[in-house]
């Protein structure tokens, strides 16, 4: 399977989250179409059929992503020392 470049994934995830926050799916035809296009490209780029799964899969492929992000726990543990 071909993997999308992390920069492409980061851009698509950021745009999808922005459109979601602005409720683009409730907006005009152009906004809904763009949201659908971004969701489709995320699904294709990650090999998933569901946009929510695609966003999760894309995040896991981004640089610095960890399966279990315990960065807050680790930071708090360091502060307590």
């Amino acid at each position: 399977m071909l993997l999308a470049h992390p920069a492409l994934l980061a851009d698509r995830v950021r745009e999808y989250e922005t459109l979601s926050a602005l409720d683009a799916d409730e907006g005009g035809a152009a906004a809904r179409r763009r949201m659908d296009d971004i969701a489709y490209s995320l699904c294709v780029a990650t090999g998933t059929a569901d946009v929510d799964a695609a966003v999760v899969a894309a995040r896991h492929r981004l640089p610095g992503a960890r399966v279990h992000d315990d960065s807050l726990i680790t930071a708090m543990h360091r502060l307590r020392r």
Side-chain angles (χ1 to χ4, degrees), residues 18-78:
T18 300
L19 290 169
S20 292
L22 296 173
D23 288 325
D25 55 338
E26 300 295 327
R32 284 192 307 274
R33 187 171 38 256
R34 185 63 184 155
M35 183 118 175
D36 289 344
D37 289 347
I38 294 296
Y40 176 79
S41 75
L42 276 170
C43 289
V44 169
T46 59
T48 59
D50 175 70
V51 70
D52 294 324
V55 170
V56 170
R59 285 185 185 140
H60 282 283
R61 292 188 189 161
L62 296 178
R66 295 187 292 189
V67 176
H68 299 288
D69 187 4
D70 62 354
S71 57
L72 292 177
I73 295 170
T74 303
M76 289 176 61
H77 180 69
R78 284 189 208 137

